[in-house]
Amino acid sequence: MCAIAAPKVFGSDDFGNAIVLVENGDVPAELQTATRIAQSNCPERAIVLEEV
Amino acid sequence: MTSPNAPEAVVDWHTDYDMFDPQYLINPFPVLNDIRESECPIAHSDRWGGSWLPTRYEDVVAIAQEYQAFTSRQIIVTAPPPQQAEGAYGGVAAPPITSDPPDHHWHRRLILPVFSPQSVAKYEATTRELCHRLIDKFLATGQGDAASEYAQQIPVRVISLMLGVPLEMADEFTSWVRGVLETGLQDPVVRLENRNKIIGYFVNTLADRKANPREDDLITELLASKDGDGNPVPDSYVLGVCNLMLVAGVDTTWSAIGSTLWHFAQHPEHRQALREDPEMWPRALEELLRVYAPVTMARIVDHDTEFQGCPMKAGDRVLMSFPSANRDPRMFEDPDTVKLDREHNRHVAFGAGIHRCAGSNLARLEVRVAAQVWLERIPEFELVDPAAVTWAGGQVRGPRICMMKFPVA
């Protein structure tokens, strides 16, 4: 569901497990809103966002 | 006149719910909302072998995640036929959905690559073509059954394609799956009969693939795969996976497609919104999955425990009502309203935890393509008679007869 909300930030590996696509997990400013929505749509609550 | 075998009408839904009550089948949400918002949001009933029914999002998700306390030894919402254990195929389950750790790990890992978004994408063109062919059959008549002539016909063929079995088997597969998940829920003998037909069919298929291995064939590949210790997988595992793909991949997605079209029939404004802005599809699809989540799964309590004040005993059955969880106002604003652009949608239509649906990406593809093709070919349509729509419930909720009428071009 994260890959649906933020396809430039999240993708999936060969097993269909979610992976982070952005380098070092750094989310560019223009993708931050989409990333927050991805977080609020993850049924596993597996996404942790940190403000830096 | 009531037949002597007719179940008694429910007086108190909190202590005696009946998942096959005719009104509840048509619309379970008033009951689920009532239980969820009461002081005791976990109902109990002795009917159909007895079960607990948690209705709040947090409780349903907690049960899904606590796989040690709530095991997957059985996952059907009614008690199994007593003779199942002694049946010819007693050793065949439906891995990984019926597996607990540690075996669950390799049971699931072997099939995940088949269902990754990248892998299922190759079925999009075929699914689209299939949907067009189905509509061709009734388009000129000005009416058609969105459930039996359309939704029901789609997933069974996609799954047959994935399994490498003949598409001509589709009607028989459908009848067997309904025998397990619909009529069979209320009749253990029918359930066992149909389960044996499914597994018997795949016993022959496995024998054929061993004698004549195929290139690029799922069953051939599964037969050659290795278990968690690096040993060849037993036939019972491959049979179980085939059983699961058919049983879990057919009724469920077909129900979601049917509910989606039932919704669009009554909401021309939603059809128009998607026509005007096709980019809404991904979010709209999740919203429809939330509101019309077809599946309820069961767990078996492993050891005596207290869960949210309920004294659950080892062996008790617990029903995870994903449809109810998805309408919990603690988690979703205005939960009974379909908002195609809903931004925060942590729905659990596909479950949660280690047993979260392995086929969710395929299901999403099928529901989206089926709805898109219908809306493209039949942009304006409505229910012939809303009161005549029939629904299946229990394990999998969705319309079974859903006649639509539309202008003929």
Side-chain angles (χ1 to χ4, degrees):
Chain A
M1 285 161 85
C2 52
I4 294 165
K8 288 183 180 157
V9 181
F10 301 99
S12 61
D13 65 12
D14 290 344
F15 291 92
N17 293 323
I19 49 170
V20 176
L21 301 176
V22 290
E23 216 168 313
N24 302 321
D26 292 336
V27 181
E30 71 274 16
L31 296 176
Q32 286 184 2
T33 305
T35 307
R36 283 199 189 89
I37 293 173
Q39 184 195 30
S40 76
N41 282 265
C42 174
E44 304 296 345
R45 302 184 190 214
I47 300 171
V48 180
L49 298 180
E50 283 173 22
E51 299 283 342
V52 286
Chain B
M1 206 180 98
T2 354
S3 91
N5 294 324
E8 276 178 54
V10 175
V11 178
D12 183 353
W13 282 89
H14 297 248
T15 58
D16 187 33
Y17 59 83
D18 179 359
M19 65 183 105
F20 300 110
D21 174 273
Q23 276 308 310
Y24 182 81
L25 283 179
I26 295 169
N27 182 8
F29 296 105
V31 166
L32 292 171
N33 290 350
D34 180 56
I35 296 172
R36 192 193 315 106
E37 302 315 316
S38 73
E39 278 179 16
C40 181
I42 302 181
H44 184 272
S45 177
D46 287 330
R47 294 179 192 241
W48 306 109
S51 55
W52 298 92
L53 178 66
T55 53
R56 290 190 182 172
Y57 183 97
E58 292 297 334
D59 291 345
V60 170
V61 170
I63 287 164
Q65 288 173 339
E66 287 178 28
Y67 57 84
Q68 284 161 323
F70 302 99
T71 84
S72 291
R73 289 195 286 266
Q74 292 171 21
I75 41 100
I76 301 286
V77 295
T78 55
Q83 63 271 58
Q84 180 146 325
E86 293 102 56
Y89 305 120
V92 179
I97 209 168
T98 49
S99 316
D100 287 316
D103 285 342
H104 170 270
H105 183 71
W106 71 263
H107 284 179
R108 184 173 169 101
R109 197 168 172 83
L110 286 183
I111 62 160
L112 279 181
V114 181
F115 292 108
S116 72
Q118 303 88 314
S119 297
V120 300
K122 63 173 176 272
Y123 297 102
E124 174 152 355
T126 321
T127 306
R128 197 168 286 276
E129 190 192 327
L130 167 64
C131 293
H132 277 287
R133 270 189 285 129
L134 291 169
I135 288 181
D136 287 340
K137 290 187 190 171
F138 55 76
L139 185 66
T141 67
Q143 65 172 35
D145 184 349
S148 73
E149 292 179 85
Y150 191 66
Q152 181 186 318
Q153 306 293 330
I154 301 164
V156 67
R157 287 178 172 77
V158 178
I159 289 287
S160 299
L161 206 65
M162 289 183 85
L163 286 167
V165 295
L167 295 183
E168 293 72 40
M169 285 299 296
D171 289 341
E172 240 168 324
F173 285 155
T174 302
S175 144
W176 298 345
V177 171
R178 297 184 82 168
V180 172
L181 284 182
E182 286 181 35
T183 44
L185 282 187
Q186 297 173 70
D187 187 336
V189 176
V190 170
R191 189 153 118 208
L192 185 60
E193 266 172 28
N194 283 282
R195 177 185 136 81
N196 285 344
K197 284 181 189 166
I198 293 173
I199 297 171
Y201 177 84
F202 285 110
V203 166
N204 291 331
T205 312
L206 257 60
D208 174 74
R209 295 300 185 278
K210 283 181 184 174
N212 312 292
R214 294 185 182 179
E215 289 284 317
D216 201 18
D217 174 69
L218 179 60
I219 294 175
T220 304
E221 283 167 21
L222 283 174
L223 284 168
S225 57
K226 300 282 195 288
D227 72 9
D229 300 321
N231 301 315
V233 300
D235 282 4
S236 61
Y237 168 75
V238 183
L239 283 174
V241 169
C242 296
N243 180 32
L244 172 66
M245 283 182 62
L246 202 59
V247 173
V250 171
D251 231 46
T252 51
T253 311
W254 139 34
S255 296
I257 295 170
S259 296
T260 296
L261 293 173
W262 177 82
H263 175 86
F264 281 129
Q266 300 166 89
H267 291 275
E269 77 283 10
H270 286 166
R271 305 198 296 258
Q272 191 187 344
L274 283 161
R275 227 179 355 251
E276 285 169 4
D277 181 9
E279 290 196 4
M280 276 177 71
W281 266 107
R283 221 179 252 190
L285 180 63
E286 298 308 312
E287 175 67 346
L288 292 162
L289 286 167
R290 179 187 72 81
V291 177
Y292 300 114
V295 177
T296 296
M297 292 298 287
R299 291 288 184 266
I300 300 296
V301 176
D302 183 67
H303 49 270
D304 292 3
T305 184
E306 191 173 290
F307 181 80
Q308 301 288 36
C310 296
M312 298 184 176
K313 301 278 176 218
D316 280 3
R317 188 175 310 276
V318 184
L319 312 187
M320 299 185 292
S321 176
F322 299 125
S324 176
N326 278 354
R327 296 201 190 203
D328 187 337
R330 290 157 200 79
M331 183 56 67
F332 305 97
E333 198 184 302
D334 198 3
D336 290 320
T337 305
V338 174
K339 299 177 179 176
L340 293 186
D341 60 348
R342 187 179 290 273
E343 195 168 285
H344 303 290
N345 188 358
R346 210 190 288 270
H347 76 77
V348 284
F350 294 112
I354 64 168
H355 290 285
R356 195 184 142 67
C357 176
S360 65
N361 300 306
L362 179 66
R364 283 190 172 102
L365 181 149
E366 292 180 89
V367 178
R368 174 176 55 79
V369 170
Q372 285 174 338
V373 172
W374 180 289
L375 294 182
E376 178 192 325
R377 301 287 301 279
I378 309 176
E380 296 306 324
F381 61 105
E382 59 186 327
L383 296 169
V384 169
D385 175 7
V389 177
T390 66
W391 295 81
Q395 194 90 41
V396 185
R397 177 173 190 269
R400 291 296 174 265
I401 299 173
C402 187
M403 288 301 296
M404 305 289 195
K405 58 181 175 185
F406 37 85
V408 179

